Amino acid sequence: MSLSVRNIAGESVQLEEVAFARGGEAAVHAVPSFPGVAVKLYHPQVLKQRGDSLRTKIEAMASDPLLTKLKQHPGVAWPRFSVFDERDQWRGYAMRRAGGIRMSVLAHAMAYREHFPNLDRPALAGYLLNLLGTLRELHVSGVMVGDYNPANFLCLPGSNAVTLIDCDSWQVVAAGRTFHCPVAAPDMLPPELLGKELSLVRRTPESELFALAILIFKVMMLGRHPFDIIGGESPVANIRKGCFPYGLGGGGIPRGPWFNIWSHLPYKLKEQLVRTFRDGTRNACERTSVTEWIDLLSLYRREMSRGWHDTHVKPAAPKSSQYRGSQSASQPILG
Ligand SMILES: Nc1ncnc2c1ncn2[C@@H]1O[C@H](COP(=O)(O)OP(=O)(O)OP(=O)(O)O)[C@@H](O)[C@H]1O
Ligand SMILES: [Mg+2]
């Protein structure tokens, strides 16, 4: 049995019959005649429950003139157009097919070795910078990712390319309407959104920045969650309290490689993590911005290229203190 879909003009295209990947809502198929394209077909149950609202959102995303440039963006699998089956029923959408491995594999104490055998800290910073550049463009377009699930950020080994997938869950303003982001892992949410009905809340640049800082921490710290304290409470309980154990007065870094890693991170980077995870839990204005992260991580990468910081993913020993001049990322920001 072959599987084909059509666009609105009735032009049909053959899909690979067996999906190359599946999620909770949809199956994703390759298109043999267009290797750069993937087609996401929602599961029948999802179509039954929410097919009409999904179609409205996807078509608004694909047609809004202020957002069409995102269809060409190499960093996002933005919906390009709707696809229909032989009976002209709406089934899903076509998008760019991304290469790469989930960021949750990159940000993991062991798993990264198989897919990223030469991974080092400059490469980690490179992936984050690429992602940050994309987020900056999305935010300028009023798009809030909302669901900072590292499994939805695909990292291409041997490059710094990151592609964001599962775009249909994002918060977008399109065709004159706001479509909310109904999903997120609770431990990636800022305190003000915890316990809220996500399909009704409006994500803001500040709510994005809290989740983003958690993601940056995880990438820098082998997937460890910043609010996850051994023997302590759950990450969500600690997020509510702003209880971040790293840095001065934090109450103790968990045992394991995290002490060494944290000690080698430049002061200015740590300062912004502490700021976002302590002051930023209560005061959303105290969350480090995308531009600030770009500046800091660019500086970190530059300084690593000069040999100023350990570049190993898991440094073997803690950092011995060395003065690097007042402009270095290792020094406090003055004034
Ligand atoms: N544009 C793409 N390029 C390459 N692979 C993709 C793309 N989109 C999705 N995939 C693959 O298909 C899987 C499922 O896709 P996606 O996460 O969009 O589905 P979903 O059903 O909406 O998932 P969830 O239940 O997490 O919302 C992904 O984990 C990924 O492996
Ligand atoms: Mg989804």
Side-chain angles (χ1 to χ4, degrees), residues 2 5 11 21 51 68 117 140 143 161-162 177 181 217 223 249 256 276 290 319 325:
S2 71
V5 289
E11 296 157 335
T68 47
V140 165
V143 177
V162 180
R177 279 185 58 183
C181 168
F217 183 96
T276 303
V290 171
K319 184 184 166 94

Side-chain angles (χ1 to χ4, degrees), residues 121 124-125 128 216-222 244 246 253 257-271 273-274 277 293 296-297 300 303-304 308-313 315 317-319 328-331:
R121 292 201 162 262
L124 291 178
L128 286 175
I216 291 174
F217 183 96
K218 285 183 148 197
V219 168
M220 285 294 159
M221 302 286 283
L222 301 171
F244 175 60
Y246 300 74
I253 296 176
W258 295 281
F259 182 87
N260 290 358
I261 298 175
W262 181 258
S263 84
H264 283 279
L265 289 180
Y267 183 91
K268 285 178 186 167
L269 228 134
K270 294 194 276 201
E271 188 178 51
L273 290 167
V274 170
F277 294 145
W293 284 126
L296 278 172
L297 286 166
Y300 180 33
E303 292 188 353
M304 283 192 280
W308 290 13
H309 304 284
D310 195 310
T311 57
H312 294 94
V313 173
K319 184 184 166 94
S328 150
S330 298
Q331 299 304 317

